[in-house]
Amino acid sequence: MATQQDLQDLIRLMTVTRKMPMLQAMTSIKALQAVDLRSIKQISEASLSTVQEALKDDKVARALQNACKAVIRRNATQSSSPPSGGGVLKRGSSISSTSPVSKRAKSDVFMTGPVEMTPQELEASLELPICTDEDTIKKTVIETNRAPLVLAFAVEMLRYTMPEQPLSSRLSLGQAVVSANSRSKAVSLGLDKGPSADQEGYGEGQPRVKVMGREVAVLKRSGYEWKGEERSGDEKKDRAGGSQATSATTASTLDPAPTPTATWSTSPPIIMKDSKFVARAIHLTSPSQRKYLMESLMHNHPELKSATHNAWAFRLKPPENANWLTQRTMREESFDDGETGCGDLMLKVMREAGAVDTLVVLTRWFGGAMLGPDRWRLMRNAVTSALGERMRKTGGSISLGGEALWGLDLEAMRKAQPGTTVGGYGSGKQLQPLTHVVGMHIHRPEAARSYLLRSFGKPSPPPADETATSPSKKKAVHKTAKVLEAEREENLGLLLGALRLLFDSWADHLDVAELDRRTWAWYCAIRPEVDSGPNGWGGKGSVKLVDLLKLRRGDQS
């Protein structure tokens, strides 16, 4: 009977030795388990036809079985004692730099079943390196081509412009931008021709988002719930955070005019790094009611007075008797109470939900640690929860934004149906746009992550001086594949760290649209120089990371 260790060994063989993306490996393992092949030993001893039947690909099946046989032969010739630093990798254990296990196998420790991963485990398996040490960044020069640099910019920027998106979505959306930019560039250079898949209608009917100035078609990942490091507070222990599902407050206790009892809908407390967020929503019919409603809330929950911030926002529909002489537009007001951008965010979420005649109060107790862009996601989640609770009570409908997304690979969709056209471009049979979910092609996050990890090397050293005498010549140092892989990963971490410092400096001073617009300009300012025309396609050049730091707010001359 196969053990958990057998499963981990098989995953490691597929993802490290065979260089197979994690999700593809998981799918293959599930297919192998269906024919009762659960370990490297069982696959090596099985008939090739059985493995081929499971994987539906003769070439892949043969390669996998040969790899399994090689592992068995190697183990048979090795000493029975484990190598230094070896041993069983257990769930939750760390992988140090001295471990013989490749960092690519790090996702093994996040497996909870034969092939299934929770959203938290999937996001952890896609984790990217990052280093924000300024001294090291200033001394670092990397060599790369332009496409992966666009991807790095997009992935890091989306932490700020779309903080509700998990890493898997940011990688997918970033790769969609790279794909669209690359094709546009290829057309402009004469390397490709004709309309794009998007122009031919393959993205028709799908929602779109703007990333670095380019609109990309997306697919909503319905039901995908990711919360990062946040946790929900205990309702009994966090009464100070307003964890009760509802709390009745009487506005008449402080309002001299008689008003009915007001009931607040309250979100569960959301906690991260000791910061706690709680949102409340209530019906509002007049701007003058806001003051009394908030005073009554503070009176009934005095612990709110000790909070670091009590931001609020409301939306009121125009009165029924509105005319040209009175206000006919939706009335909106907000107050940050020191929580930068909170009021605007609450109004945005309320607009997405279609919430009117509603007051929302968002309370935060600061825990002492800055949350970065996670702050926006936590605030959105708290407000969403409070509005959802209120609309359930009143029988209203709610359709909130902020869902996790995939970037659609429209070119792959077109290639899946060669010789056909959609939407009237070109010649051939007219087809309906491929807008159904089943069979839709998306940009896979594992592929985007792998692209980043292998794309940022060290600049090549200058050629040796041919006039120098032999004794003084420096011998060229040939680096092993393992050393080069480590260098590229380190460089990626420094690049992402420089981008993190850049975006951190501007995030509280620019709105989302302006940050998105400036990101492309920042990329253009530091991208590598390459030959113009077709000769420069895919060309590499050097990028000094100190130039990214010079773009920070306050560092520009």
Side-chain angles (χ1 to χ4, degrees), residues 76-329:
T77 59
Q78 288 178 345
S79 171
S80 59
S81 60
S84 176
V88 176
L89 177 64
K90 296 184 180 296
R91 179 180 174 85
S93 63
S94 61
I95 302 177
S96 67
S97 59
T98 58
S99 170
V101 181
S102 168
K103 290 184 179 180
R104 183 160 180 163
K106 186 174 182 179
S107 54
D108 292 357
V109 302
F110 299 107
M111 296 296 293
T112 57
V115 294
E116 299 297 329
M117 297 177 82
T118 67
Q120 284 68 31
E121 291 166 342
L122 173 60
E123 302 309 324
S125 73
L126 296 170
E127 182 182 358
L128 292 168
I130 186 164
C131 175
T132 55
D133 180 72
E134 290 193 37
D135 291 336
T136 307
I137 290 173
K138 289 177 180 178
K139 295 182 291 186
T140 300
V141 180
I142 61 176
E143 185 178 63
T144 183
N145 57 324
R146 293 181 173 184
L149 191 61
V150 172
L151 179 57
F153 265 86
V155 169
E156 192 61 27
M157 181 202 71
L158 286 168
R159 294 184 71 251
Y160 299 83
T161 59
M162 300 178 68
E164 71 278 5
Q165 297 300 317
L167 177 57
S168 57
S169 291
R170 299 200 305 269
L171 286 164
S172 179
L173 293 171
Q175 190 60 50
V177 173
V178 171
S179 177
N181 283 339
S182 296
R183 192 185 187 282
S184 295
K185 185 66 174 177
V187 170
S188 69
L189 295 176
L191 301 175
D192 203 346
K193 60 182 180 179
S196 67
D198 197 4
Q199 291 171 326
E200 288 186 347
Y202 280 84
E204 185 177 341
Q206 292 301 124
R208 292 174 179 268
V209 297
K210 182 173 287 189
V211 184
M212 294 180 69
R214 180 179 289 276
E215 285 193 349
V216 295
V218 299
L219 179 69
K220 293 183 178 180
R221 300 168 63 180
S222 301
Y224 190 83
E225 297 183 359
W226 167 77
K227 295 185 177 181
E229 299 177 23
E230 71 193 66
R231 61 184 177 86
S232 298
D234 185 280
E235 293 192 1
K236 294 181 179 179
K237 294 181 180 179
D238 284 312
R239 294 182 64 87
S243 57
Q244 293 173 307
T246 61
S247 58
T249 63
T250 306
S252 59
T253 58
L254 295 173
D255 188 353
T259 58
T261 299
T263 301
W264 293 82
S265 297
T266 309
S267 73
I270 300 175
I271 302 169
M272 178 184 278
K273 297 180 180 178
D274 295 327
S275 280
K276 180 162 60 179
F277 298 82
V278 178
R280 291 177 170 83
I282 196 169
H283 183 65
L284 184 75
T285 57
S286 169
S288 61
Q289 284 185 322
R290 181 198 62 78
K291 177 181 178 181
Y292 299 116
L293 287 171
M294 291 192 65
E295 287 179 347
S296 65
L297 177 64
M298 298 295 172
H299 177 78
N300 285 275
H301 290 274
E303 67 275 4
L304 299 185
K305 297 177 183 178
S306 67
T308 315
H309 311 285
N310 282 294
W312 55 262
F314 69 74
R315 299 184 79 229
L316 286 170
K317 61 186 177 184
E320 295 181 359
N321 60 349
N323 53 48
W324 289 109
L325 299 178
T326 60
Q327 185 180 13
R328 301 187 63 187
T329 58

Side-chain angles (χ1 to χ4, degrees), residues 141-144 456-464 477 479 484 487 491 540-543:
V141 180
I142 61 176
E143 185 178 63
T144 183
F456 303 100
K458 297 285 187 185
S460 301
V477 177
K479 299 177 180 179
L484 292 173
E487 279 187 357
N491 288 338
K540 291 187 176 183
S542 295
V543 175

Side-chain angles (χ1 to χ4, degrees), residues 371-382:
L371 301 181
D374 283 327
R375 176 174 68 99
W376 301 102
R377 176 170 52 82
L378 302 183
M379 292 191 297
R380 171 185 277 276
N381 289 350

Side-chain angles (χ1 to χ4, degrees), residues 416-472:
Q417 295 195 5
T420 62
T421 61
V422 178
Y425 288 93
S427 60
K429 183 180 178 181
Q430 302 260 334
L431 298 178
Q432 293 297 320
L434 302 178
T435 55
H436 54 282
V437 174
V438 178
M440 274 194 157
H441 294 263
I442 64 170
H443 289 284
R444 299 303 315 177
E446 314 94 309
R449 177 181 184 271
S450 178
Y451 187 32
L452 286 173
L453 285 170
R454 67 175 186 267
S455 297
F456 303 100
K458 297 285 187 185
S460 301
D465 185 0
E466 296 296 337
T467 63
T469 59
S470 298
S472 63

